Amino acid sequence: MMDERKQRILQAIIDDYISSAEPVGSRTIARKYDLGVSPATIRNEMADLEMLGYLEQIHTSSGRIPSSKGYRFYVDGLLPQQPLSDKEKVLIDKWYQARVKRIEEVFQETARIISRVTKNVSLVLAPQLTQAAFRCLQFLPLDARRAIAVLMTDAGFVENKIIAIPSGAAFEDFQRMARVINQCLAGQTLDAIHPDTLQRIRDEIMDEELYEAALEVIYRSLDTEKKERLYLGGTTQLLNQPEFHDVEKVKEILLMLEEEQLLKDILHAHLGEGLSVTIGCENKYSGIQDCSIVTATYHLDGELLGTIAVLGPTRMEYGKAMTLLGYMNNHLADIIKKFRW
Amino acid sequence: MMDERKQRILQAIIDDYISSAEPVGSRTIARKYDLGVSPATIRNEMADLEMLGYLEQIHTSSGRIPSSKGYRFYVDGLLPQQPLSDKEKVLIDKWYQARVKRIEEVFQETARIISRVTKNVSLVLAPQLTQAAFRCLQFLPLDARRAIAVLMTDAGFVENKIIAIPSGAAFEDFQRMARVINQCLAGQTLDAIHPDTLQRIRDEIMDEELYEAALEVIYRSLDTEKKERLYLGGTTQLLNQPEFHDVEKVKEILLMLEEEQLLKDILHAHLGEGLSVTIGCENKYSGIQDCSIVTATYHLDGELLGTIAVLGPTRMEYGKAMTLLGYMNNHLADIIKKFRW
DNA sequence: GTTAGCACTCCGAATCAGTGAGTGCTAACA
DNA sequence: TGTTAGCACTCACTGATTCGGAGTGCTAAC
């Protein structure tokens, strides 16, 4: 049914379509790819492949284009190996070294790299603070009525917030409280602080108002940060793709790219799946049914940190996207480690 | 030469072109605007206006469109008054209240508001840290070898950086140093610390290595922050304008919008000018010669803080953009004041 | 100075034929 | 039985042509 030759032809058609963006005909395949058969034979095979659902035809007497099912088969078995060249790896390294000074910049630059290499839109979902472990909380005096609370996490994030000192409380009380909190929360993940721990803190602080103020710091700091950050890269790359020569299509997808929550949801759907490819109509969201998404989740010491992804037309260089994401996956852990204490 | 009636006709033509985006003919003007003259008369006047350089014609027998000079005349004298309605003001207030929790968010949300109201691209240049006054520097212990330096400025920005404690130095030395620095730098603007002051700090610290470490904190903190931030809003608004129905044009301008430094330069060119309008070919940068930019600089207690701007096709609602920027201008100072200590 | 009338220009939409790339089918071939 | 050459057919695309409409400039009359 799907013999060796059919596969080779399917592969040739998809390869050709990916690079040309034009419906491909039997003669083209016969000429460019050395399959040792005539166009007529290829035509027969193409008709079969269409019957099987791997190819589509815009109209009779046009060439064939791959269907989502076709791409799926291609991605699952026919992908040409194209490992990252050493030169590319070095370039990526240099890029990070030159541009990343602080952990927050890692993600933006990662997005840049991915979109540059793949010539498509990239998405990077940065780790949630809530998954990070509490490191320490400190208060700094500002004036008689205010202090700055600085919260640090294991992942290297530092978050600060100006808070009011409750009337009657001295700054020393804050110092004492900080000691208590640091003792109790050391190493805990922020989104799952046990009620018992909170109770212990409360007991030790022995001042309701102070306790409330401290909690507010932790929770508000957590609140502003807990929505993980999404970084986008290369949105203008879309405009180079012939499938987006129509402004309406561009508008549709650019508007979608502005809906941060939607994008996060899409990435979340693949969280923890390792390297995953979603092709065309496999996408649940109607705006991107002629796009594909390649996602990869990255880890650090076994802990799930976030997701990186490539979004492009179904006619995408899957091999390149997948090898790149695979590489960045590992690399990202190393980079982040540098900022970890 | 440019009598009352010519001006009225010019105004009518520009108003009409701004709302329709189509070359406007004499008959349209006669029908829609009650000028009390026949199309033939208007035709004569239009021919004169073209001679004078205020109008252009794509080809004979097409309607006229305003030239840059025409828009300039319009902006300088013919602008219909369209003050912000109370309803709009309330909406803006509510928007800020609902979305801005920390000072950094002020600018992003300002950009959003401007692009929503004007239906064009907005740019917001946030204050440079270097123009802000030093408030205080504090060190927090992290472990035996590291500390966190937290630098605060008058404008409400808090910046932090992890630094290594030089071997041999105790954390207490840092505390002492912080006291010295805070004393010496209090109230100084960060980009113009006087050499004498530095010398004083050096003398007081009496430890070369410690002094170097402290300086590094200040300068690196300054370094990462001194490039003022640029916030963009509403880039997809462009796609709704008929002048950008061609993907090539869209690409050109979107690519330009990705060049942060270029945009900053453009905004800088109008720094301190108050409300300023640059129309079409008045722009130095070739990529935006059929765009106009309205900029306004905002202040706080007499101190120049930054620039807000609207970028759109020359066929832009100048009146709306200008009144909005004027309003935001003042409003922004109030909003920022809330975050100031 | 203003206006009506008219010839003229030019764009854009619609139509039509010709071309070329591609297909499916059939019959011949190995 | 699988492969191939040949051929008629389809359909998008291109370029030429036509035609209506919107708009202009000019002239002559008011």
Side-chain angles (χ1 to χ4, degrees), chain A residues 190-203:
Chain A
L190 279 174
D191 62 340
I193 298 172
H194 199 276
D196 289 357
T197 314
L198 287 180
Q199 191 54 48
R200 228 177 90 210
I201 294 173
R202 189 177 203 155
D203 291 347

Side-chain angles (χ1 to χ4, degrees), chain A residues 101-102 104-105, chain B residues 103-104 107 126-132 151 153 157-161 190 217-231 264:
Chain A
K101 296 271 179 273
R102 33 172 65 208
E104 296 92 313
E105 293 164 346
Chain B
I103 191 168
E104 296 92 313
F107 308 104
Q128 298 177 257
L129 184 65
T130 51
Q131 290 178 336
L151 180 78
T153 74
F157 282 109
V158 181
E159 191 57 43
N160 55 60
K161 178 136 203 75
L190 279 174
V217 174
I218 297 177
Y219 281 123
R220 293 197 57 175
S221 184
L222 209 147
D223 202 50
T224 48
E225 277 302 304
K226 96 172 152 197
K227 294 163 203 140
E228 73 280 75
R229 298 260 169 84
L230 180 70
Y231 298 86
K264 283 179 183 170

Side-chain angles (χ1 to χ4, degrees), chain B residues 113-216:
Chain B
I113 292 172
I114 296 176
S115 66
R116 290 225 165 185
V117 175
T118 64
K119 305 236 186 296
N120 274 311
V121 176
S122 64
L123 303 103
V124 174
L125 198 60
Q128 298 177 257
L129 184 65
T130 51
Q131 290 178 336
F134 177 87
R135 171 77 189 202
C136 80
L137 175 70
Q138 295 279 4
F139 296 97
L140 289 178
L142 197 58
D143 55 31
R145 300 184 344 276
R146 292 153 192 250
I148 294 183
V150 182
L151 180 78
M152 286 151 277
T153 74
D154 246 14
F157 282 109
V158 181
E159 191 57 43
N160 55 60
K161 178 136 203 75
I162 298 162
I163 57 162
I165 301 178
S167 62
F171 183 72
E172 284 70 34
D173 294 326
F174 273 89
Q175 300 288 41
R176 187 173 55 85
M177 184 164 63
R179 271 197 305 277
V180 171
I181 291 174
N182 284 329
Q183 231 164 35
C184 294
L185 293 185
Q188 302 223 14
T189 55
L190 279 174
D191 61 341
I193 299 173
H194 200 275
D196 289 355
T197 314
L198 287 180
Q199 193 53 46
R200 227 177 91 210
I201 294 173
R202 191 176 203 156
D203 293 345
E204 295 228 25
I205 291 178
M206 293 187 306
D207 179 322
E208 198 59 27
E209 203 174 351
L210 261 184
Y211 170 72
E212 294 292 343
L215 263 202
E216 198 206 325

Side-chain angles (χ1 to χ4, degrees), chain B residues 81-100:
Chain B
Q81 284 297 327
Q82 35 185 332
L84 238 50
S85 70
D86 286 345
K87 202 179 131 202
E88 286 177 301
K89 288 184 186 172
V90 169
L91 277 177
I92 291 174
D93 263 8
K94 288 232 173 101
W95 185 285
Y96 274 120
Q97 275 167 31
R99 311 211 175 202
V100 175

Side-chain angles (χ1 to χ4, degrees), chain A residues 139 163-166 169-178 210 213:
Chain A
F139 296 96
I163 59 163
I165 301 178
F171 184 71
E172 284 70 34
D173 294 326
F174 273 88
Q175 300 289 41
R176 188 172 57 82
M177 183 165 64
L210 263 183

Side-chain angles (χ1 to χ4, degrees), chain A residues 5 37-38 40-41 43-44 59-61:
Chain A
R5 192 175 65 186
V37 286
S38 75
T41 309
R43 270 205 296 284
N44 289 332
H59 56 87
T60 24
S61 91

